[in-house]
């Protein structure tokens, strides 16, 4: 059959009419159905399958239109056209009944070919109805038995999500700090929901600018859903678009666009967070139900976001800049609780990176945290800042624990709070609890170098050197510039007697050439007893180029116990090394634990590593 004959035959069988009617009616049906799906809150996969079912019905309807007629006598096969040679073809005669009272032409002649002017309405409707019926049956079977039944996630099943960095769609592409701030505040807002596990900032921001798909990102972060979006800021207006996507199926669970004045950005964040919580059918905790105390000042909000971006970089220069931004924010709006919390957290970590004394930093950090809590008593960041102040600057581990517990009560998914709490528990010798907290921190923020470091340090305290080194190795492959990781790996290698690993760690641990050379001499002295005396002498001559606490560990490793005890006592009296409580539980000082001078320091601070080791 030629193409022209085939097309003519399709016209005779009314296939084109059925196709047109099918498209029109299905389009109208889908419009009504999809609206109804939204009203009844059905998941988006139902809409997707409805559209798929409609498309699958097209070939079914066309096939039925070609093959069958619906007549008053019932469903019959459409009669074929038979040519004079007995072969089907256009221009031949129709075999079968002739409708109407047609007169014969000639005695004993055959009836003339009478072509009906048009199909009865029942035929068109019937064929269309059969097509719809088959499509719906197919759709129902697919929905019930198909792969989406096992792969789909409904909003009520979402228990964990990640908030990816929102994209900057501003014309000048100069609002990165602003979009990062929107992302982080949304993350913190959702972290206040106790039923929801929210991936931490470090892990979420690790995928900034990535080309990876939602499914792969979600699998790496071990979450059910991913929130992503964009921010377009033009003048005093901002448009935020957000979309929540199911990781397993890739289907959209929720999306919305918000167009507001910049001053209302905090309200937008609350709207997005509340919409997601509603979609997931969760209830906010009493603390989470209260909106974060924000600001109506655009400048104060911008300064806060700029300060937050600097705080996360954790270099001396960035922390100093973060302080200036947070100070500017509170000067602009003296009632901005989050900015005071930013000040408190910056002062709390400043002595780790600069020469600011712990006493001065603690006084300023406590004042800022108190101001933040006076404005918002449920602000987890402020409670966590109090914990870090007590832990590292005041050496009051009991108060640190209470502060961290309060922070996690108000924000259960606060990864940094879990990590800092794990550090305090390590110092208190409660290692099983420390594992629980650091594992929780890593579940929330699996790519956080600080959390991985705490995990590795905990394994070292337990004398599980192989696991500790493997964790340090994984950490440093991802974050080769993370200096605490190199120092931790070095000290663990010294405790385990792995000299080559120790030598490899020295360049990453110390930038000062003199310190680097001296520590290399310590490694040589540990490997070769003949070199031990020169190593002790080199360490003696190093002076304050290396903190007293670290020198104490190295002297202890070399067996110079008296010098090690002097360094521990000096570090305690000076009170300038925020790492001292952490160092006092390291295995390198195990040989000092029975010494009264050492116990005097650990008792004063409250560290209890031996009790933890006995309980394992």
């Amino acid at each position: 059959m030629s193409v022209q004959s085939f097309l003519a035959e399709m016209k005779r069988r009314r296939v084109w009419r059925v196709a047109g009617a099918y498209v029109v009616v299905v389009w109208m049906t889908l419009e009504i159905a999809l609206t109804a799906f939204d009203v009844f809150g059905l998941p988006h996969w139902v809409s997707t399958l409805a559209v798929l079912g409609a498309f699958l019905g097209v070939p079914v309807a066309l096939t039925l239109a070609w093959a069958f007629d619906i007549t008053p006598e019932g469903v019959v096969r459409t009669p074929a056209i038979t040519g004079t040679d007995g072969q089907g073809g256009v221009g031949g005669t129709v075999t079968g009944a002739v409708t109407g009272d047609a007169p014969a032409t000639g005695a004993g002649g055959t009836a003339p070919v009478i072509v009906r002017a048009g199909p009865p309405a029942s035929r068109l409707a019937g064929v269309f109805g059969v097509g719809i019926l088959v499509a719906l049956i197919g759709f129902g079977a697919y929905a019930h038995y198909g792969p989406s039944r096992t792969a789909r996630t409904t909003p009520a099943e979402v228990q964990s999500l990640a908030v990816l960095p929102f994209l900057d769609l501003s014309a000048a592409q100069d609002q990165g700090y602003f979009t990062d701030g929107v992302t982080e505040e949304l993350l913190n807002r959702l972290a206040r929901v106790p039923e929801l596990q929210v991936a931490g900032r470090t892990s979420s921001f690790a995928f900034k600018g990535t080309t990876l798909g939602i499914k792969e990102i979600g699998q790496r972060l071990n979450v059910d859903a991913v929130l992503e979006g964009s921010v377009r800021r033009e003048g005093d207006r901002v448009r935020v678009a957000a979309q929540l996507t199911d990781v397993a199926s890739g289907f959209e669970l929720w999306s919305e666009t918000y167009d507001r004045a910049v001053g209302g950005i905090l309200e937008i964040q609350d709207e997005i967070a509340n919409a997601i919580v509603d979609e997931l059918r969760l209830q906010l905790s009493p603390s989470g139900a209260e909106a974060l105390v924000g600001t109506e000042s655009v400048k104060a909000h911008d300064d806060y976001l700029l300060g937050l971006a600097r705080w996360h970089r954790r270099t001396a220069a960035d922390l100093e800049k973060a302080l200036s931004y947070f100070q500017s924010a509170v000067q602009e709006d003296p009632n901005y609780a989050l900015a005071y919390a930013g000040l408190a957290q910056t002062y709390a970590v400043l002595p780790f990176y600069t020469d600011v004394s712990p006493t001065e930093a603690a006084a300023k950090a406590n004042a800022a945290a108190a101001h933040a809590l006076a404005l918002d008593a449920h602000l987890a960041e402020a409670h966590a800042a109090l914990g870090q102040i007590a832990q590292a600057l005041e050496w009051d581990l009991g108060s640190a624990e209470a502060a961290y517990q309060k922070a996690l009560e108000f924000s259960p998914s606060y990864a940094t709070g879990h990590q800092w709490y794990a550090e305090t528990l390590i110092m208190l010798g409660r290692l099983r609890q420390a594992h629980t907290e650091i594992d929780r921190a890593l579940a929330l923020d699996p790519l956080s170098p600080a959390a991985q470091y705490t995990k590795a340090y905990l394994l070292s305290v337990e004398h599980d050197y192989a696991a500790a080194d493997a964790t340090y190795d994984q950490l440093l492959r991802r974050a080769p510039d993370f200096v605490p990781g190199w120092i931790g790996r070095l000290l663990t290698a010294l405790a385990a007697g792995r000299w080559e690993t120790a030598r490899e760690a020295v360049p990453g641990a110390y930038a000062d050439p003199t310190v680097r050379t001296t520590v290399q001499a310590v490694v040589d002295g540990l490997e070769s007893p003949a070199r031990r005396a020169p190593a002790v002498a080199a360490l003696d001559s190093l002076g304050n180029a290396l903190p007293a606490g670290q020198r104490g560990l190295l002297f202890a490793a070399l067996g110079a116990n008296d010098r090690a005890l002097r360094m521990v006592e000096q570090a305690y009296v000076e009170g300038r090394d925020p790492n001292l409580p952490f160092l006092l539980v390291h295995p390198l000082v195990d040989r000092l634990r029975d010494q009264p001078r050492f116990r005097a320091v650990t008792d004063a601070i409250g560290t209890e590593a031996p009790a933890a080791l006995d309980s394992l």
Side-chain angles (χ1 to χ4, degrees), residues 458-548:
L458 171 57
L459 293 168
S460 295
V461 172
E462 294 176 336
H463 295 189
D464 191 351
Y465 300 131
D469 187 68
T471 305
Y472 279 127
D473 182 65
Q474 182 184 47
L475 156 63
L476 294 168
R477 287 179 186 275
R478 290 177 175 169
D481 296 329
F482 190 67
V483 173
W486 288 110
I487 295 175
R489 192 177 197 189
L490 166 67
L491 298 177
T492 296
L494 295 181
R498 297 177 178 175
W499 315 125
E500 285 306 313
T501 301
R503 288 192 181 91
E504 292 171 1
V506 171
Y510 304 108
D512 187 310
T514 302
V515 174
R516 187 182 298 174
T517 300
T518 301
V519 176
Q520 289 283 16
V522 170
V523 179
D524 293 340
L526 287 169
E527 184 178 23
S528 173
R531 301 180 183 180
R532 191 154 300 180
V536 171
L539 197 56
D540 259 335
S541 64
L542 192 59
N544 290 326
L546 192 65

Side-chain angles (χ1 to χ4, degrees), residues 161 163 181-194 196 198-199 227 265-278 283-293 304 338 376 378-381 410-414:
L161 64 83
V163 183
V182 170
T183 304
E184 180 145 10
E185 290 185 32
L186 276 173
L187 190 155
N188 293 339
R189 179 74 172 82
L190 291 166
R192 294 163 73 108
V193 180
L196 191 62
V198 182
L227 176 67
I265 188 63
L266 292 180
E267 288 77 8
I268 295 177
Q269 292 156 10
D270 275 343
E271 284 186 49
I272 296 174
N274 286 330
I276 294 170
V277 170
D278 289 343
Q283 294 296 319
L284 288 171
S285 64
S287 60
E290 299 174 10
L292 297 176
V293 177
Y304 170 72
L338 280 168
D376 183 357
H378 296 147
L379 201 56
E381 292 86 346
F410 296 133
S411 183
S413 291
Y414 187 27

Side-chain angles (χ1 to χ4, degrees), residues 16-31 54-55 57-58 61-62 128 132:
W16 299 120
R17 293 190 184 184
V18 172
Y22 185 93
V23 170
V24 171
V25 175
V26 166
W27 177 76
M28 295 174 62
T29 303
L30 284 177
E31 285 290 314
F55 276 107
V58 173
L62 297 184
F128 175 75
I132 289 290

Side-chain angles (χ1 to χ4, degrees), residues 165-222:
F166 278 37
L167 300 177
D168 176 16
L169 299 184
S170 302
Q173 291 286 293
D174 59 350
Q175 298 295 310
Y177 74 93
F178 186 82
T179 56
D180 286 353
V182 170
T183 304
E184 180 145 10
E185 290 185 32
L186 276 173
L187 190 155
N188 293 339
R189 179 74 172 82
L190 291 166
R192 294 163 73 108
V193 180
E195 299 90 344
L196 191 62
Q197 178 173 301
V198 182
R201 181 193 190 277
T202 306
S203 295
S204 293
F205 275 73
F207 296 99
K208 185 175 183 178
T210 184
T211 58
L212 295 178
I214 292 296
K215 187 168 186 176
E216 185 170 354
I217 293 174
Q219 289 173 343
R220 291 192 184 188
L221 297 179
N222 193 30

Side-chain angles (χ1 to χ4, degrees), residues 9 60 63 93 98 140 167 172 235 364 375 384 389-390 412 464 467 501 535 564 571 613:
E9 180 66 359
V60 176
T63 300
T93 58
V98 179
L167 300 177
K364 293 180 178 179
L375 294 167
I389 296 162
D464 191 351
T501 301
L613 292 173

